[in-house]
Amino acid sequence: MLIGVLALQGAFREHQEMLAALGVESRQVRKPEQLEGINGLIIPGGESTTMGKLLQDYNLFEPIRQKALQGMPVFGTCAGLILLAREIVGSAQPRLGLMDMVVERNAFGRQVESFEVDLDVPVLGEKPLRAVFIRAPYIVSVGPGIEVLARYGDKIVLARQGRFLACAFHPELTDDTRLHRLFLEQC
Ligand code: GLN
């Protein structure tokens, strides 16, 4: 198995380290041809406006969209979740729009830069998942094709639509590998 990690900006190395810990090979993706032969793609956290601009500059938008529509699993974390959303509240920034959900950026308030919580994620078992939120978005609403996998309070922070998975937090910054393993099952 070979997993691509979009490596234009943001926390891509940490995702690669987590994949390595799981014994899975990964490849940094910066060019369309690097999408060939991968079994899935991770879009890391970072800054979604910057990443969207770089996706355009590197001509990666359409190739990723096409591959995804042809069956490539995609896992977006934090800024990656924003890029997967169909709609971003108050923003016309470029996005892949692969998941039928509306997201809001920096939704926990600008003064709350980052925080950690234990989330109940039934699909991962009984043990709560430690989640690190950094200037995090959340999912405001979802379409009928989306499964909500976790909430923090009343806010949706983890969702799945078929082979697309998105979380508002940074699973690559803890040593709990369960969410990456859930994604790998799709790959
Ligand atoms: N606030 C960032 C954005 O809007 C996301 C933050 C993150 O990925 N940690 O893109």
Side-chain angles (χ1 to χ4, degrees):
M1 174 135 65
L2 177 64
I3 300 296
V5 183
L6 186 68
L8 300 175
Q9 191 259 339
F12 53 89
R13 282 188 198 84
E14 291 81 353
H15 278 288
Q16 288 191 286
E17 282 162 19
M18 186 144 253
L19 292 168
L22 288 166
V24 172
E25 225 187 303
S26 66
R27 172 199 287 164
Q28 297 184 359
V29 172
R30 292 191 189 84
K31 299 176 182 164
E33 52 272 30
Q34 291 166 333
L35 294 167
E36 296 306 324
I38 59 174
N39 302 95
L41 179 70
I42 294 179
I43 304 180
E47 182 54 46
S48 60
T49 48
T50 309
M51 231 185 284
K53 189 177 179 310
L54 292 170
L55 279 166
Q56 286 176 327
D57 293 349
Y58 285 70
N59 292 317
L60 274 165
F61 252 109
E62 272 319 299
I64 291 176
R65 273 182 55 79
Q66 287 315 317
K67 285 272 175 201
L69 294 173
Q70 287 161 16
M72 177 178 72
V74 184
F75 180 19
T77 64
C78 204
L81 166 145
I82 296 168
L83 288 164
L84 283 175
R86 173 174 60 75
E87 192 180 326
I88 304 164
V89 174
S91 174
Q93 69 191 79
R95 85 282 320 254
L96 292 158
L98 292 165
M99 291 178 72
D100 186 13
M101 58 188 187
V102 181
V103 305
E104 182 163 350
R105 297 177 60 201
N106 302 313
F108 293 93
R110 285 181 190 277
Q111 57 278 56
V112 190
E113 279 280 291
S114 68
F115 58 97
E116 290 185 36
V117 292
D118 286 325
L119 291 178
D120 274 328
V121 187
V123 76
L124 296 180
E126 261 179 35
K127 193 179 145 219
L129 182 76
R130 190 81 180 155
V132 182
F133 290 82
I134 303 170
R135 292 189 304 283
Y138 73 82
I139 302 168
V140 178
S141 64
V142 297
I146 295 220
E147 275 173 279
V148 173
L149 300 183
R151 285 189 163 86
Y152 171 52
D154 59 352
K155 297 177 165 64
I156 303 168
V157 293
L158 173 62
R160 176 165 66 180
Q161 181 175 357
R163 58 193 183 277
F164 305 140
L165 183 67
C167 65
F169 48 91
H170 282 259
E172 78 286 5
L173 297 183
T174 66
D175 49 23
D176 193 326
T177 57
R178 286 177 294 164
L179 201 50
H180 283 77
R181 280 188 274 146
L182 182 73
F183 175 61
L184 294 172
E185 283 171 19
Q186 294 288 320
C187 302

